[in-house]
Amino acid sequence: MINAATTPIRKIIHQSHHSYLCTLLMCAAVLASNIALGHGTAQTPAGPNDRTIDFPDTKEYKTLVVDLHTHSVFSDGHVWPKIRVDEALKDGLDGLAITEHLEYQPHRADLLNPDRNRAYIEAASAAEGSTLMVIRGSEITREAPAGHINAIFIEDANKLLKVKNPPTDKSDVLGYYTAANQWPSQNAVQAAHNQGAFIFWNHPDWTRQAPDGIARINDFHAQNAKNGILNGIEIANGDYYSEEAFAIALEYDLAIIGVSDVHDLIDWDYKPHEGGHRPVTLVLAKDKSIAALKEGLFAKRTVVWTRNTLMGRAPDLIPILQASLSTSKLTYRPDTSVAIVTLSNNSDMNMQLRYTGAHSLLLGPDRITVPEHGEYELHVKPGKVVDTLDLPFVVENALTAPGQNPSIVLSSQR
Ligand SMILES: [Zn+2]
Ligand SMILES: [Zn+2]
């Protein structure tokens, strides 16, 4: 792989007519300037890219694909922020937030810069000139009942943390965490809210804080939701999916959020080259900008895509399904009244449909899969030649509420 630092050096070696020593000196100068400039911008993925997460825009909105919860070495992740940006570009994301734990920094002893905005600054500079929008955020990290809370679109991460008497030994990670936890969680959340942050409750079903794996609302989050301070809740985090969190989102009128919460590599955790994908949030936005993304999130126009399943409120989810699926012209098998309609899927999700129409199918069964960016040919028996055929389906890998699959009707004309 060619990285930003080697390209100019190579150019000089090939083009220079100076002496060997001179070339060496120039190389050293270029190398020095590259080091001084920092870590370089992220690379555009090379070659064919079939891992891009792709959902069509709806009639009314742009469908932005975002991951609002990730980590780097600035808290307990294991990669530099630029790698998060590279992965996001490979996945074709529109938006990325690196949300470091404020109170928990296992690599503290190795971090010289105390500025908690560093991960954002590094990622934003790596994403410069690319299609990726980097959003400034942090993870407020407490024990239950507050648990972990992400605040994004913040202005300054340093103001969300107050640590009295931190341990002098920088390797005392737990001591620092304990000292940082003395500042009341409500103060931290209020400080983020004062910066205009969009705030969401992370992994409320995390078994370390909810040993039965059941997300339950508590006074802390219920009050903040009621007061407009808590704006969203993760229903999908990594491999976790919480039905209870989905129900809480609907009951407390919170945005539905799905995230990777990646600490290592997306490639290792989700195997995109084998057809896997990270959980993402689809935000229905008026345009592709940070302001429109923020507006869409506060308006709760979100749909989660996790493990090849779409979840969201019907008014947000159904337009995405309708934009994804289309029908061909209605034709007939020669000399019969058996109708042929080709269903096309314009999205990244393998659509698992159950046909519920009155007319039966010639080619069974009634459960079909329209593959991602693919087609399925349906043969229907209306009994006579008709000019219009309405085809009702239940989308079995989509949910508008826990256990509730949406229905859509696709129409085909002669
Ligand atoms: Zn967390
Ligand atoms: Zn996290």
Side-chain angles (χ1 to χ4, degrees):
M1 202 183 260
I2 297 165
N3 65 43
T6 57
T7 317
I9 296 171
R10 228 180 247 169
K11 243 188 218 160
I12 284 162
I13 291 172
H14 286 217
Q15 292 167 1
S16 172
H17 300 293
H18 297 289
S19 71
Y20 177 68
L21 179 67
C22 192
T23 306
L24 261 184
L25 285 172
M26 282 176 72
C27 283
V30 169
L31 202 60
S33 77
N34 265 297
I35 290 164
L37 283 170
H39 304 273
T41 48
Q43 295 158 44
T44 319
N49 183 0
D50 59 0
R51 64 185 269 182
T52 302
I53 299 174
D54 190 17
F55 283 89
D57 297 337
T58 66
K59 270 193 187 141
E60 211 177 335
Y61 294 109
K62 243 187 141 39
T63 302
L64 301 181
V65 182
V66 298
D67 189 351
L68 302 173
H69 186 167
T70 69
H71 293 275
S72 82
V73 289
F74 286 92
S75 62
D76 58 348
H78 301 110
V79 303
W80 194 257
K82 178 182 175 294
I83 301 299
R84 289 282 164 265
V85 171
D86 287 330
E87 290 173 327
L89 286 170
K90 281 181 188 292
D91 283 347
L93 300 191
D94 295 296
L96 168 77
I98 303 181
T99 49
E100 308 292 12
H101 298 286
L102 290 164
E103 300 82 351
Y104 180 60
Q105 279 189 311
H107 309 306
R108 271 176 60 69
D110 297 303
L111 296 173
L112 291 173
N113 197 328
D115 183 0
R116 298 317 183 88
N117 299 298
R118 285 304 303 162
Y120 165 76
I121 292 165
E122 281 294 324
S125 102
E128 227 174 83
S130 79
T131 51
L132 181 69
M133 302 187 286
V134 179
I135 301 135
R136 196 191 296 252
S138 285
E139 182 166 8
I140 298 164
T141 309
R142 303 303 171 94
E143 298 301 312
H148 295 192
I149 301 158
N150 265 11
I152 57 169
F153 306 109
I154 56 171
E155 288 160 5
D156 184 359
N158 298 310
K159 295 191 175 132
L160 310 185
L161 178 76
K162 275 201 170 56
V163 195
K164 265 192 195 156
N165 310 317
T168 44
D169 176 5
K170 276 196 92 179
S171 63
D172 185 3
V173 174
L174 203 64
Y176 186 86
Y177 174 74
T178 308
N181 263 258
Q182 301 311 305
W183 196 42
S185 41
Q186 189 60 38
N187 293 25
V189 167
Q190 188 64 50
H193 180 68
N194 293 348
Q195 292 187 15
F198 176 87
I199 296 172
F200 57 96
W201 184 11
N202 300 342
H203 45 72
D205 53 339
W206 187 30
T207 46
R208 246 189 66 192
Q209 293 188 336
D212 56 7
I214 295 172
R216 288 183 187 84
I217 192 79
N218 53 49
D219 288 347
F220 178 87
H221 287 294
Q223 271 306 317
N224 283 326
K226 218 181 94 190
N227 296 334
I229 294 174
L230 184 71
N231 314 111
I233 184 169
E234 288 179 357
I235 68 163
N237 175 304
D239 288 339
Y240 280 46
Y241 157 61
S242 172
E243 270 196 11
E244 293 82 9
F246 197 172
I248 291 170
L250 298 178
E251 190 183 341
Y252 287 82
D253 200 22
L254 298 169
I256 290 162
I257 306 290
V259 301
S260 71
D261 197 1
V262 66
H263 289 70
D264 295 319
L265 291 173
I266 289 289
D267 282 61
W268 295 350
D269 290 358
Y270 300 102
K271 301 184 171 52
H273 298 102
E274 293 171 19
H277 70 91
R278 69 167 94 194
V280 288
T281 306
L282 310 180
V283 183
L284 300 183
K286 288 173 183 162
D287 55 64
K288 181 171 172 175
S289 66
I290 290 193
L293 174 65
K294 189 174 176 181
E295 190 278 333
L297 281 164
F298 273 110
K300 295 164 287 225
R301 291 191 305 268
T302 62
V303 170
V304 164
W305 189 45
T306 184
R307 293 183 155 206
N308 197 47
T309 304
L310 282 172
M311 306 171 194
R313 293 175 175 84
D316 309 312
L317 176 58
I318 288 175
I320 291 176
L321 296 173
Q322 280 165 339
S324 301
L325 292 166
S326 60
T327 55
S328 67
K329 252 178 76 177
L330 183 57
T331 60
Y332 284 87
R333 284 166 79 112
D335 307 320
T336 74
S337 61
V338 177
I340 303 174
V341 180
T342 302
L343 308 178
S344 296
N345 177 3
N346 184 26
S347 82
D348 249 19
M349 182 166 92
N350 292 310
M351 293 277 179
Q352 292 159 10
L353 307 179
R354 181 161 53 85
Y355 172 69
T356 56
H359 310 303
S360 56
L361 303 178
L362 187 75
L363 308 175
D366 57 357
R367 278 187 164 82
I368 62 171
T369 298
V370 190
E372 54 162 316
H373 300 286
E375 294 180 339
Y376 185 94
E377 200 178 81
L378 204 68
H379 293 227
V380 192
K381 299 179 285 186
K384 59 177 191 230
V385 174
V386 293
D387 290 336
T388 301
L389 201 55
D390 285 341
L391 304 164
F393 294 98
V394 170
V395 186
E396 296 202 311
N397 59 335
L399 294 167
T400 51
Q404 266 180 48
N405 302 118
S407 298
I408 55 165
V409 178
L410 302 175
S411 226
S412 175
Q413 275 89 30
R414 255 182 115 183

